[in-house]
Amino acid sequence: MGEFELIRQYFQPMADSARQGQLILGPGDDCAIQRVPPGRDLVFSVDTLVEGVHFPPNYPPEYLGWRSLAVAVSDLAAMGADPVCFTLALSLPRAEPEWLAGYSRGLARASAAFDIALAGGDTTRGPLTITLQVHGTVQEGLALQRSGARAGDLVCVTGPLGDAGAALDFLETAAPTDDQQAVLARYHYPEPRLQLGAALVGKASAAIDISDGLLSDLQHILDASGVGAELDADKIPLSPALVALKGNEALSYALSAGDDYQLCLTMADDQLSALDLHVRNQLITIGRIHSEAGLRVKNAENIGSRQGYDHFGRSV
Ligand code: ADP
Ligand code: MG
């Protein structure tokens, strides 16, 4: 199968949903054309997934299709941007119809769910590697950045943490239990918090999506903002499935495991209380920003031994 036949058969359908006229020209020419409406900033990001490094060998292609776009779009959510279009650079060892059908099915589902159209790409032969560049727009000057956290701000997250990390133990499980299935779904089908991110534009002072783990991703906000933070371990949201599976190690997963793609954000008290109730209800306050550098976690004395913590529960 040639490159063009492959694109026509598997990927062209995702190009036909040009978002609100902003994608003026999709795949097929030398470049795609995106028109950025007046008063909006273009926000874009690229992610590469390598088999054996970022996903396991023989990972089911339909999950990979969803996951690869979801984790890329999550960066748009963290900036408060609305998705517009994406490019797909695929390096494949061989054109395997079954793999392509599965991958493009998962990708198409994600493309429809996040309302982001395929603008173009590149197809080459080589070790299985997927590079996605996502484009979105946000109100001019208002993209959420990592550098805006101020002493006194609250630290919030947008949902339970640690599930996707716990799922790694069960990827090969033949007949997963209900609890195992619940955390596996979080790993296979991450849901970028797009609506929530957009609702926080002009309100949150800083934001990041949690791809590597709460402590390490929050640390990026602290470094970029020149501040510190104290979290309360008792406030960290844990799913019932994670607690059932990991017992007193659940908190350790929530603090340090990645792949959940919830948002971590900072916000002044009065901004939080002014939010619409349906937005505020999705935020869980877990701590506060301080002017002294460092990240401390109180009430983490009984944390499981998955990783080391110093006296205050700081990740080491
Ligand atoms: P060029 O040589 O100009 O880079 P290509 O032969 O690489 O062009 O691609 C031809 C067209 O097909 C381009 O418009 C490109 O965006 C599109 N395309 C190539 N691979 C993919 C893909 N995997 N998904 C979507 N579009 C693709
Ligand atoms: Mg090319």
Side-chain angles (χ1 to χ4, degrees), residues 105-181:
R105 198 162 52 238
L107 190 71
R109 283 183 54 197
S111 159
F114 313 141
D115 197 10
I116 186 165
L118 182 63
D122 199 23
T123 312
T124 54
R125 194 175 297 273
L128 180 55
T129 306
I130 297 162
T131 298
L132 281 156
Q133 170 143 336
V134 292
H135 286 200
T137 67
V138 66
Q139 197 181 327
E140 203 171 85
L142 290 187
L144 300 172
Q145 298 177 39
R146 298 178 179 184
S147 53
R150 295 293 171 259
D153 285 355
L154 300 166
V155 179
C156 303
V157 294
T158 57
L161 303 176
D163 286 15
L168 296 177
D169 296 345
F170 310 115
L171 289 180
E172 306 293 328
T173 303
T177 65
D178 287 352
D179 286 330
Q180 291 167 353
Q181 279 180 37

Side-chain angles (χ1 to χ4, degrees), residues 29 37 59 158 216 229 261 263 285 291:
D29 212 312
Y59 186 63
T158 57
S216 58
Y261 298 98
L263 302 179
T285 300
S291 52

Side-chain angles (χ1 to χ4, degrees), residues 23-103:
L23 179 60
I24 291 173
L25 184 64
D29 212 312
D30 293 314
C31 290
I33 304 177
Q34 176 183 353
R35 184 161 297 162
V36 180
R40 308 281 294 177
D41 283 335
L42 173 64
V43 175
F44 56 99
S45 161
V46 67
D47 275 305
T48 294
L49 302 176
V50 179
E51 182 175 45
V53 179
H54 303 100
F55 58 93
N58 302 314
Y59 186 63
E62 183 159 358
Y63 296 157
L64 189 60
W66 178 282
R67 245 186 92 71
S68 57
L69 187 54
V71 306
V73 162
S74 176
D75 287 323
L76 295 178
M79 303 296 285
D82 294 325
V84 176
C85 59
F86 69 101
T87 57
L88 168 67
L90 258 186
S91 177
L92 300 169
R94 67 203 82 84
E96 208 175 275
E98 207 180 322
W99 189 93
L100 282 162
Y103 181 76

